[in-house]
Amino acid sequence: MRKEINRYLKNWPWFVLCSVLAIGLGYTYLRYTTPLYNASTTIIVKDESSKGPESAIYADLGLLSGVGTKNIENEIGILRSRRLMNNVVKSLDINIQYFIEGKVNKMEIYEIIPFNLQVLKLDEQKLKERGGATYELKKMNEDLYQIRDMASGRIVNAKVGSPVDLGITSIVLGPGEFGEDFNQPIIIQFTEIEKIAAHYRNQLGFIKEDKNSNFIELVLADPVKEKARDILDQLILEFNRSAIEDKNLIAGNTAKFINERLAIINGELDSVESGKEIFKEQNRLTDIQAESNMYIQNASEYNKKRQEVGTQLELANAMLEYISSNSNSDLLPTNLGLSEGGVNGQIDEYNDLVLQRNRILSGSSEKNPIVIKLNSQIGQIKGNVVQSLGRMRSNLQIGQEDLQRQASSIGSQIFAVPSKEREYRGIERQQSIKETLYLFLLQKREENSLAMAVTEPKAKIVDRAYFNEIPISPNSRSIYLGTVILGLFLPFSVIYIKGMLDNKVRKRTDIEAFTSSIAVVGDIPRVKRTQEIITLNDRSMLAESFRILNTNLQYLLVNLKHKKEAKTLLITSSIKGEGKTFAAINLSITLANTFNTVLLIGADLRSPKLQPLVTDKEKKLGFSDYLVDEDLLLESLIKKSNFHTNIDVLLSGSIPPNPYELLKTEKVELLFDQLKSQYDYIIIDTAPSMLVADTFALTQYADLILYMVRAGYTEKELLEFPVQAKEKGTMKRVCFVLNNVNLSNLGYGNKYGYGYGMDKKNFWEKSKFHKSSTNGLATKSEISIIEKDIRA
């Protein structure tokens, strides 16, 4: 786990840089994003079926059953209705917005506006066709404003107090309420009422305190917190106004019905009283009651019942007549005194459904499934009311006929009474019925007037609308946390994906994880091109790495320690460019610095690299020429190196057409037998073993094979080649040398101070090459030529 973590920790500058950039982006976003503020209010939607000072009156009149709070969701639907929000927008004129141009964004001003704008006329159709209208207003002087249409560029001068026609609207400008002066242009934006209302309907939120509670919290988010507060207050006001209008609508229909019946009963009562008066005058009657007192006493009970039945029958007929002459959208009068309790309940249920349908229909259409369902229920209940009234009328008629038969029986007992008395009693009976009904309707009319006078709001405000000073969006804490996470995630994901897709050898552990059959004897660090050759008393990281390599090689060559012949090291790799020549030169210098004589052989006959290292620039004959030409002497081909006195160089010579066949000749063995007796070490710089077979022709002469692997260049799959070569026996004594290792991947070297004791040079010393007077080092120009050829 520590190794995995270190893989990311060594790239800490990228994490820091990405985090700083991400935090900067977060700060820029917070700086230029318009914040949103929350405003909220809490209300209680009253259950009007509950008892209270006014509830008793309403319950007695039967006017509250249609507007009772039976489903809180319906009330929330009304609060969210398009009609109410349109009324709010019109009342507050929030379809007209005022902005001040900022450096990046526009800032809306709401309460403190430096001028007063009154809209005389607004053409909603033209506004809808244009998709809104925007004007720029500048104050020229105390009495003159300049208005420019932002779409067409048309400029209009407007005097204070004079109407101005802007095409879609006519306005009048006046001084502001606060008397503030302003020099900055003001942007005035006109938007469709429906569009603004739809926006705020979508922004409006409702929170129910409890399922069984009538508490509702209304929440609205807006960049202008004062506007959000005012919208909520106005919405509650419009809701209460709508509820009161619904309540008064029932009372108004009831008053209309009572007045119509009073007019009819009043005419009938006048007719009865006039007939009674004429009857008495014609028959000169004074007090017939005294004459028939005994019979009246016996018939009083039946007369009373007939009177009650007659009243109920009149009410039933009147209700049936009223229902037949009105549509399903009209409310039915309630609590008129019908004795049938089931009919009263059905009328209350009918009114409830009609009101609920009308409230939903105000913000919807006839095609709404809920409206269709309610229409079906209304028609069904209305039919039930008609059937119930019909049954009631039939029962009353039967009762009336029964009473009539009983009255006839009593009438036979008073048959002896003159016909005038009977006629007079009939007139009085009709008069009594009409008077009773008339007084009853007068009482109901007064009660209904009292109900209309009581206008208690339906929604009681618990907390008036207020806003929070802290914006809800954007949340700075969340933004900064998100940017930090993003800043850390980006480099992490890049490193992770890069590591997952990376097929290159990067460090020693990559080789050790691939194979354990071949040891890694050295790590050569990545160095600048100006430091590619070791100098005497060099204490650089490059020199230290080759000293460690030399030490490890001595352990591998311990069996050859007492051997008088030269120890032969062959340097090869899988492909070109892995640092064979670079390692051969610096290993030669390292060995030579310990007072060993070293011969460096250029055995890459296809691509010679060692020509710039010899002092003799004229002759380029070498290894291949010796193998071909029998007349050439080996001593004449070996040259002194120009970078160390203890190093000789045998160049590869001319490029032959058949390098492999040439290296398989017997003369190669004679060459090595002759050279091993003259030097302490022989280092062979060969061709890439995976590309050509030349190297395998020389492995039999090597005491140890150094297989170069270049970090960040050699693919891991190429390591399979030397492993298979060792298993087959073509490379018996082989070990890996990892070249060009990043300092962060050196492991112990970077962590514990690779190059301990190294002299620190100043800038001037680093820019010069120092030539030692005792080792015959090359000049600066010569070394530059060598490095150039090595890089090539």
Side-chain angles (χ1 to χ4, degrees):
M1 184 179 293
R2 185 173 65 251
K3 291 180 181 179
E4 185 67 20
I5 293 174
N6 287 337
R7 184 160 71 99
Y8 298 97
L9 289 180
K10 69 182 180 181
N11 293 289
W12 66 267
W14 287 107
F15 285 92
V16 173
L17 178 61
C18 291
S19 297
V20 171
L21 291 177
I23 291 173
L25 291 175
Y27 172 79
T28 304
Y29 175 79
L30 292 173
R31 174 67 178 81
Y32 295 108
T33 300
T34 303
L36 286 178
Y37 297 88
N38 242 0
S40 62
T41 183
T42 306
I43 63 173
I44 298 177
V45 179
K46 292 185 178 181
D47 187 358
E48 294 173 338
S49 61
S50 61
K51 301 299 180 182
E54 297 85 6
S55 301
I57 300 175
Y58 283 109
D60 183 61
L61 292 174
L63 300 175
L64 301 180
S65 57
V67 291
T69 308
K70 295 183 178 179
N71 191 346
I72 203 70
E73 297 296 333
N74 292 339
E75 306 303 331
I76 292 177
I78 294 173
L79 284 167
R80 200 193 289 273
S81 66
R82 184 170 54 190
R83 175 178 59 87
L84 282 188
M85 191 57 72
N86 285 352
N87 292 339
V88 170
V89 174
K90 292 176 183 177
S91 300
L92 298 177
D93 288 332
I94 55 177
N95 60 316
I96 306 173
Q97 296 172 281
Y98 306 90
F99 298 92
I100 296 177
E101 286 285 357
K103 294 181 179 179
V104 178
N105 295 330
K106 295 188 299 183
M107 182 179 68
E108 183 176 358
I109 55 177
Y110 177 68
E111 289 187 329
I112 304 177
I113 301 174
F115 56 87
N116 184 19
L117 185 146
Q118 295 181 359
V119 178
L120 302 179
K121 181 185 68 174
L122 180 62
D123 193 334
E124 283 284 341
Q125 184 61 32
K126 288 184 179 179
L127 188 64
K128 185 176 181 179
E129 292 174 357
R130 288 185 54 175
T134 306
Y135 301 93
E136 182 186 69
L137 185 142
K138 291 182 180 179
K139 185 175 182 180
M140 310 303 293
N141 53 51
E142 293 298 329
D143 298 323
L144 184 64
Y145 293 91
Q146 186 184 80
I147 303 175
R148 181 172 67 90
D149 191 332
M150 301 286 284
S152 64
R154 174 172 170 258
I155 297 176
V156 177
N157 291 326
K159 293 183 179 180
V160 174
S162 299
V164 181
D165 187 5
L166 299 178
I168 65 168
T169 182
S170 296
I171 62 173
V172 175
L173 293 173
E177 296 179 4
F178 301 94
E180 293 189 3
D181 195 8
F182 68 100
N183 298 318
Q184 190 174 0
I186 303 295
I187 305 299
I188 306 174
Q189 183 172 312
F190 291 85
T191 312
E192 303 167 51
I193 293 177
E194 288 282 348
K195 198 171 185 179
I196 293 292
H199 168 74
Y200 284 110
R201 284 177 62 214
N202 294 331
Q203 293 293 106
L204 189 62
F206 297 89
I207 302 174
K208 292 176 62 177
E209 297 292 337
D210 188 76
K211 290 183 179 180
N212 299 322
S213 173
N214 290 344
F215 278 86
I216 303 177
E217 182 179 0
L218 284 73
V219 181
L220 182 64
D222 194 74
V224 183
K225 47 185 177 291
E226 296 84 1
K227 183 194 289 187
R229 176 197 61 197
D230 293 346
I231 289 174
L232 291 179
D233 283 338
Q234 189 66 29
L235 182 63
I236 302 303
L237 180 63
E238 295 292 337
F239 176 74
N240 284 331
R241 182 182 299 164
S242 175
I244 292 170
E245 289 175 355
D246 288 343
K247 186 192 303 181
N248 290 339
L249 180 62
I250 299 175
N253 287 337
T254 303
K256 179 181 177 183
F257 172 77
I258 291 174
N259 289 331
E260 290 176 354
R261 296 308 303 167
L262 279 173
I264 295 173
I265 298 300
N266 188 40
E268 293 177 352
L269 185 59
D270 288 342
S271 177
V272 171
E273 289 178 346
S274 299
K276 180 180 179 181
E277 181 180 357
I278 294 172
F279 179 79
K280 283 187 175 184
E281 288 178 354
Q282 289 177 351
N283 295 280
R284 297 180 180 181
L285 297 177
T286 56
D287 187 9
I288 304 176
Q289 185 69 27
E291 299 175 4
S292 57
N293 192 24
M294 182 180 61
Y295 299 108
I296 294 174
Q297 186 175 1
N298 295 331
S300 61
E301 183 177 356
Y302 292 103
N303 289 334
K304 183 178 180 181
K305 291 181 180 180
R306 291 174 65 187
Q307 179 180 342
E308 292 175 356
V309 171
T311 301
Q312 292 294 319
L313 190 59
E314 284 285 336
L315 290 175
N317 290 330
M319 284 296 296
L320 287 171
E321 181 183 356
Y322 180 83
I323 292 174
S324 63
S325 62
N326 288 274
S327 63
N328 287 347
S329 61
D330 294 327
L331 300 172
L332 299 179
T334 61
N335 205 19
L336 292 177
L338 294 174
S339 60
E340 188 67 28
V343 176
N344 290 327
Q346 290 174 348
I347 292 174
D348 292 343
E349 186 177 1
Y350 174 87
N351 287 340
D352 188 6
L353 291 176
V354 169
L355 276 179
Q356 187 175 354
R357 193 257 331 257
N358 291 342
R359 282 186 291 177
I360 295 175
L361 194 60
S362 64
S364 181
S365 66
E366 290 287 345
K367 296 182 179 180
N368 190 318
I370 298 176
V371 175
I372 295 173
K373 181 179 179 182
L374 289 175
N375 284 335
S376 176
Q377 293 177 357
I378 289 169
Q380 182 178 358
I381 293 175
K382 185 175 181 180
N384 293 338
V385 172
V386 173
Q387 291 179 3
S388 297
L389 288 173
R391 287 194 300 270
M392 178 182 172
R393 183 173 63 181
S394 298
N395 294 335
L396 290 173
Q397 288 174 349
I398 293 171
Q400 191 177 42
E401 291 175 0
D402 183 58
L403 291 174
Q404 185 67 33
R405 285 194 300 271
Q406 294 181 16
S408 298
S409 177
I410 295 175
S412 63
Q413 297 176 4
I414 58 173
F415 185 76
V417 178
S419 60
K420 294 180 180 179
E421 175 67 16
R422 291 198 302 271
E423 187 177 354
Y424 181 77
R425 294 304 302 164
I427 295 173
E428 281 193 337
R429 186 168 50 254
Q430 291 294 326
Q431 181 185 11
S432 177
I433 292 173
K434 300 299 181 183
E435 284 179 350
T436 303
L437 184 59
Y438 185 76
L439 293 174
F440 176 79
L441 291 176
L442 284 177
Q443 180 184 357
K444 291 301 179 182
R445 185 174 67 177
E446 293 302 319
E447 291 176 354
N448 190 62
S449 300
L450 178 62
M452 295 181 65
V454 179
T455 56
E456 183 186 15
K458 187 173 185 179
K460 179 181 179 181
I461 299 175
V462 178
D463 291 323
R464 295 193 64 83
Y466 64 95
F467 52 80
N468 199 336
E469 293 290 347
I470 301 175
I472 59 169
S473 174
N475 190 324
S476 59
R477 187 174 299 177
S478 299
I479 294 298
Y480 282 126
L481 179 60
T483 54
V484 170
I485 293 175
L486 178 63
L488 296 176
F489 175 75
L490 286 177
F492 175 85
S493 59
V494 171
I495 294 171
Y496 177 78
I497 295 173
K498 182 180 177 182
M500 186 172 59
L501 301 177
D502 188 15
N503 64 342
K504 301 290 194 306
V505 176
R506 298 288 176 182
K507 50 189 175 181
R508 174 191 289 261
T509 55
D510 294 339
I511 301 176
E512 294 173 346
F514 188 85
T515 179
S516 59
S517 61
I518 302 177
V520 181
V521 295
D523 298 87
I524 301 173
R526 180 184 299 171
V527 294
K528 298 178 181 179
R529 293 186 180 273
T530 57
Q531 300 176 349
E532 287 188 345
I533 294 183
I534 300 172
T535 60
L536 185 63
N537 297 324
D538 195 339
R539 304 178 74 178
S540 65
M541 294 182 65
L542 179 65
E544 292 295 338
S545 66
F546 275 98
R547 291 189 186 104
I548 294 174
L549 174 62
N550 180 27
T551 302
N552 293 336
L553 293 178
Q554 299 308 316
Y555 283 102
L556 296 176
L557 299 172
V558 66
N559 294 330
L560 305 176
K561 185 175 181 181
H562 301 291
K563 183 180 178 181
K564 295 182 180 180
E565 295 180 345
K567 301 177 182 65
T568 306
L569 304 177
L570 185 144
I571 301 178
T572 185
S573 67
S574 298
I575 56 177
K576 183 180 178 181
E578 293 181 297
K580 298 181 297 298
T581 304
F582 164 75
I585 294 172
N586 284 284
L587 183 59
S588 300
I589 295 173
T590 303
L591 293 171
N593 285 339
T594 57
F595 307 104
N596 294 305
T597 56
V598 181
L599 175 63
L600 181 60
I601 299 178
D604 188 355
L605 304 184
R606 301 174 187 267
S607 180
K609 293 289 191 306
L610 301 180
Q611 276 79 353
L613 302 181
V614 299
T615 56
D616 188 357
K617 305 296 183 182
E618 299 297 330
K619 299 178 181 179
K620 299 295 183 179
L621 301 179
F623 192 15
S624 60
D625 300 292
Y626 173 74
L627 298 177
V628 174
D629 194 347
E630 297 291 340
D631 296 330
L632 287 176
L633 298 176
L634 186 59
E635 291 77 4
S636 63
L637 300 177
I638 297 175
K639 309 294 182 181
K640 286 291 182 180
S641 70
N642 57 6
F643 53 87
H644 205 288
T645 56
N646 291 341
I647 300 176
D648 292 340
V649 180
L650 176 60
L651 301 178
S652 57
S654 304
I655 299 176
N658 54 345
Y660 179 74
E661 289 78 6
L662 197 60
L663 293 173
K664 295 292 288 184
T665 60
E666 296 180 355
K667 198 172 183 180
V668 176
E669 184 177 359
L670 297 176
L671 179 144
F672 280 103
D673 290 341
Q674 181 180 349
L675 293 176
K676 285 183 179 181
S677 61
Q678 300 176 11
Y679 295 94
D680 296 323
Y681 288 92
I682 297 176
I683 298 178
I684 308 172
D685 180 22
T686 64
S689 57
M690 189 174 176
L691 302 180
V692 293
D694 303 357
T695 302
F696 292 101
L698 299 174
T699 55
Q700 58 182 319
Y701 306 111
D703 296 318
L704 187 64
I705 299 174
L706 303 182
Y707 202 95
M708 300 300 299
V709 177
R710 183 175 177 180
Y713 182 80
T714 305
E715 296 181 0
K716 294 178 182 178
E717 294 179 354
L718 298 181
L719 299 178
E720 188 68 29
F721 180 78
V723 173
Q724 293 178 355
K726 183 178 181 180
E727 293 175 353
K728 294 177 181 179
T730 54
M731 290 185 182
K732 295 182 180 180
R733 293 177 56 82
V734 61
C735 57
F736 284 122
V737 177
L738 185 58
N739 182 30
N740 198 43
V741 182
N742 195 321
L743 297 183
S744 61
N745 291 327
L746 275 176
Y748 66 89
N750 185 46
K751 183 177 180 181
Y752 298 110
Y754 203 160
Y756 168 76
M758 179 178 64
D759 290 336
K760 294 182 179 180
K761 300 179 181 181
N762 57 31
F763 176 78
W764 175 251
E765 290 174 337
K766 290 180 181 179
S767 64
K768 298 188 297 179
F769 287 91
H770 297 279
K771 182 177 179 181
S772 173
S773 60
T774 59
N775 62 0
L777 290 177
T779 63
K780 178 180 178 181
S781 59
E782 290 173 338
I783 292 178
S784 299
I785 295 173
I786 294 170
E787 292 175 346
K788 181 178 179 181
D789 290 332
I790 290 173
R791 289 194 294 270

